[in-house]
Amino acid sequence: DAGVTQSPTHLIKTRGQHVTLRCSPISGHKSVSWYQQVLGQGPQFIFQYYEKEERGRGNFPDRFSARQFPNYSSELNVNALLLGDSALYLCASSRQASTNEKLFFGSGTQLSVL
Amino acid sequence: QQQVKQSPQSLIVQKGGISIINCAYENTAFDYFPWYQQFPGKGPALLIAIRPDVSEKKEGRFTISFNKSAKQFSLHIMDSQPGDSATYFCAASIGGNNRLAFGKGNQVVVIP
């Protein structure tokens, strides 16, 4: 079975641009979460979606938005990119939204903002 | 602020030795404590997790020890192997969601 897949794997943007990152969860998983991992740091929670509804939002500005589609895939959008948005963006999926469920991470999208 | 703090920042262990990584947390509402392993270019992968109603959990060569009163938990890697060389993250969350608060990570290097 395929794991969590993210696209693209690498992306280079310039300040002020907009970016869309995509995530396909493991088949049967209904919850998708997004994390930002800056180099040398642990992942930081951005969003969680379950059954197409936002279930949680981390301490990120409104430039960050996300959505989940009927097939449970998800997009993370970042507007007006800043240099500080350069990071590895990780998507994780689980069957349900609770901590009783194991969280599976994708390999991430490496975003560089120049 | 950092809700979960790890130490030491990096660790060098000889093959066959024991790697010990410690984690401290502040929020007493946390009730789920996982450890994740991350290799370069990959996402984190769940190694082992514990809930505060037990003091220790063992899975293969990996053991979590949990001290609720001290608000600390640690990962022990027994018989460390070069393939265990990776970055290890502790995390914590509050029941009912999988919104994880991660520590900054510990780089473990196992030398042959």
Side-chain angles (χ1 to χ4, degrees):
Chain A
D1 282 341
V4 177
T5 56
Q6 294 187 241
S7 62
T9 54
H10 296 83
L11 202 52
I12 299 174
K13 292 284 189 179
T14 56
R15 280 181 298 173
Q17 284 190 312
H18 162 271
V19 69
T20 298
L21 310 181
R22 294 178 175 84
C23 171
S24 292
I26 291 171
S27 178
H29 286 197
K30 298 180 179 180
S31 176
V32 169
S33 300
W34 287 94
Y35 286 79
Q36 180 196 63
Q37 187 175 19
V38 173
L39 188 64
Q41 302 290 318
Q44 212 173 347
F45 174 79
I46 310 175
F47 285 110
Q48 182 187 20
Y49 276 79
Y50 177 68
E51 289 280 19
K52 302 183 290 295
E53 293 200 357
E54 184 181 302
R55 292 289 293 265
R57 184 187 183 111
N59 189 23
F60 280 81
D62 291 344
R63 299 184 296 108
F64 288 77
S65 64
R67 54 180 176 168
Q68 187 177 33
F69 299 100
N71 66 353
Y72 302 109
S73 67
S74 179
E75 281 183 355
L76 175 69
N77 295 283
V78 187
N79 292 324
L81 285 167
L82 303 173
L83 295 179
D85 294 332
S86 295
L88 180 68
Y89 288 84
L90 294 162
C91 174
S93 77
S94 61
R95 288 183 299 175
Q96 305 290 335
S98 76
T99 52
N100 291 321
E101 297 292 331
K102 186 175 177 178
L103 202 60
F104 293 83
F105 282 86
S107 293
T109 293
Q110 185 66 54
L111 173 65
S112 298
V113 182
L114 306 178
Chain B
Q1 77 272 24
Q2 197 76 25
Q3 296 191 66
V4 178
K5 295 182 180 179
Q6 293 184 236
S7 63
Q9 197 167 9
S10 62
L11 189 62
I12 299 175
V13 179
Q14 283 212 302
K15 179 181 174 181
I18 303 173
S19 304
I20 301 174
I21 311 167
N22 302 301
C23 198
Y25 65 96
E26 292 295 324
N27 190 343
T28 54
F30 286 142
D31 62 358
Y32 176 72
F33 303 91
W35 281 94
Y36 281 81
Q37 179 189 57
Q38 187 175 30
F39 293 106
K42 298 291 184 185
L46 178 65
L47 263 181
I48 186 171
I50 199 168
R51 295 192 183 274
D53 51 347
V54 296
S55 60
E56 187 173 283
K57 183 175 181 181
K58 183 176 180 180
E59 287 183 3
R61 297 187 293 111
F62 302 95
T63 300
I64 295 182
S65 298
F66 186 82
N67 186 331
K68 189 174 181 178
S69 60
K71 293 189 288 185
Q72 293 177 347
F73 58 109
S74 59
L75 176 69
H76 297 231
I77 307 173
M78 313 300 286
D79 186 26
S80 296
Q81 299 297 313
D84 296 332
S85 297
T87 301
Y88 292 82
F89 294 94
C90 64
S93 68
I94 300 171
N97 68 77
N98 50 25
R99 173 179 178 162
L100 293 169
F102 281 86
K104 288 187 176 182
N106 299 88
Q107 187 171 15
V108 174
V109 176
V110 181
I111 53 177

